[in-house]
Amino acid sequence: MSVVAIAIGFGVFVAAAAGFAAVTLMPGPQQSATEDRLAMMANRRRGRGEPDDEASSQSLMLLGAEVDKLPFADLLDSVPGFKDFMEQAGLKIHPAKVLFVCLVLFGLGFIACVATPVPVALGPVLGGMLAVLPIGYIFMKRRKRLKKFGNQMPEALELLSRSLRAGHSLNAGFGLVGSEMEDPLGPEFQRAFEEQNLGIPLDEAIEEMANRIPNMDVRFFATAVALQRQTGGDLAEILDKIGRLVRERLTIQGQIQALTGEGRMSGAVLLGMPPALFLMMLKMNFEYISLLFTDPLGHLFMGIGIFTQALGAIVIKKIITIKV
């Protein structure tokens, strides 16, 4: 039975590794930023019912041809928000490659359980834990990028306000912010600036930027610009007030992080201690800990432990999370 399990696990690993290598070595789409903007404009115009000539349709098909060749591309493209999630994390990786990485890690976890004294029944569990590591990495990258974007927002609003007071237009101010600010805020403003240069209205370009970046301050900014362009008023003064409001909110958030630091540290210790103790007992006294996998009462206790661990994590998260 162990030989069959090893053969199955090895086959899964080889298939996943071969697929991952094929996707990694496959040449990706050579699209420039301008081509991306043009493709987006063409898609929008088709959605509005405007005529589209045959040449532009063929060019768009050629631009997306290599992406469509990727395995599971259609399946992953149908997942709502997955591409936006990857874009918010700032990763230029096709979702199909992420899926293959998850499959490879799942195969490695399964083979590790087969090749070691760990019960084979834990193979899917360990494989699943390893398979979610890439998703966790994307979550961390996304949170870090959005946090940096929010910290850059007050400076960008002040720069845009000074540009308006100097006599520049709002469009020129977007170009100035895009060229002066660092990633991730600078490229987003530069993208909105390029979109309006290609014919998209500035209001729509700002709205698209607010949709790409799930940040409340960006939504305030987009709403303020839309209202000012409809009703009039001093936009520079409005941007200054939004910038001061954002700075005060960031200051309060910093104070909350300092006050909840002890709770976050306690939560990390309490949540990390049971898995660490389990691994230590697994190495020191395997026969003692193996009752959790062989005895029905052990299965019940292990299920209760996992449930209470997850429940404790949710409760601690609720306690230390204070929204401003």
Side-chain angles (χ1 to χ4, degrees):
M1 184 66 181
S2 60
V3 177
V4 176
I6 293 175
I8 294 175
F10 184 76
V12 172
F13 173 73
V14 170
F20 174 71
V23 174
T24 304
L25 298 177
M26 183 182 298
Q30 302 297 325
Q31 294 185 13
S32 64
T34 304
E35 290 172 337
D36 291 338
R37 308 298 183 269
L38 290 173
M40 180 175 58
M41 287 182 59
N43 290 333
R44 288 181 183 175
R45 294 185 182 277
R46 281 204 302 273
R48 294 175 184 172
E50 297 183 6
D52 216 9
D53 57 0
E54 184 178 356
S56 60
S57 298
Q58 291 179 354
S59 63
L60 290 176
M61 290 175 63
L62 290 175
L63 289 176
E66 293 191 10
V67 177
D68 293 337
K69 293 179 182 178
L70 291 173
F72 306 105
D74 296 336
L75 177 61
L76 292 175
D77 289 342
S78 63
V79 178
F82 192 79
K83 277 191 172 182
D84 296 337
F85 188 80
M86 296 285 294
E87 186 177 357
Q88 291 166 7
L91 298 176
K92 307 298 182 180
I93 305 174
H94 196 274
K97 295 184 179 181
V98 178
L99 177 60
F100 277 112
V101 172
C102 295
L103 289 176
V104 169
L105 292 176
F106 182 84
L108 287 175
F110 188 82
I111 291 177
C113 289
V114 173
T116 58
V118 179
V120 181
L122 286 180
V125 178
L126 181 59
M129 294 174 60
L130 293 178
V132 299
L133 290 179
I135 306 300
Y137 173 76
I138 296 174
F139 265 99
M140 293 178 58
K141 290 283 291 183
R142 177 180 179 272
R143 184 174 61 180
K144 183 178 179 180
R145 187 171 184 268
L146 293 180
K147 182 179 179 180
K148 185 176 180 181
F149 190 97
N151 293 334
Q152 290 177 317
M153 197 63 189
E155 184 179 355
L157 293 176
E158 292 176 358
L159 181 59
L160 190 58
S161 174
R162 291 195 297 266
S163 174
L164 293 175
R165 286 195 171 93
H168 297 286
S169 65
L170 184 60
N171 299 348
F174 266 73
L176 178 63
V177 174
S179 59
E180 294 294 331
M181 298 293 295
E182 299 178 353
D183 184 74
L185 187 141
E188 291 294 338
F189 273 78
Q190 186 66 29
R191 178 172 177 176
F193 175 71
E194 293 175 359
E195 286 177 356
Q196 63 89 24
N197 283 340
L198 293 172
I200 299 176
L202 183 60
D203 294 344
E204 188 174 345
I206 297 175
E207 183 67 22
E208 289 295 327
M209 182 178 68
N211 293 333
R212 289 194 305 269
I213 304 297
N215 186 282
M216 184 172 56
D217 302 327
V218 180
R219 176 57 59 185
F220 285 158
F221 169 68
T223 304
V225 171
L227 291 176
Q228 189 274 338
R229 291 174 72 87
Q230 294 177 4
T231 62
D234 190 355
L235 182 58
E237 183 178 357
I238 295 174
L239 295 180
D240 285 337
K241 291 182 178 179
I242 296 177
R244 287 196 298 270
L245 178 63
V246 174
R247 285 190 183 278
E248 292 177 359
R249 189 170 61 82
L250 291 177
T251 302
I252 296 175
Q253 284 183 346
Q255 295 175 354
I256 292 175
Q257 289 292 319
L259 294 175
T260 58
E262 182 180 356
R264 287 184 280 111
M265 182 63 67
S266 301
V269 172
L270 292 175
L271 294 176
M273 188 179 299
L277 182 61
F278 172 79
L279 294 177
M280 184 178 67
M281 293 297 298
L282 192 66
K283 181 176 178 58
M284 296 178 59
N285 194 344
F286 178 77
E287 294 182 358
Y288 177 78
I289 206 68
S290 63
L291 293 176
L292 292 174
F293 310 109
T294 58
D295 191 271
L297 190 59
H299 297 168
L300 177 62
F301 285 159
M302 187 166 58
I304 294 175
I306 294 175
F307 174 76
T308 54
Q309 187 85 346
L311 184 61
I314 295 174
V315 172
I316 293 175
K317 181 67 175 177
K318 290 290 185 180
I319 292 174
I320 65 176
T321 300
I322 302 175
K323 294 183 179 181
V324 181

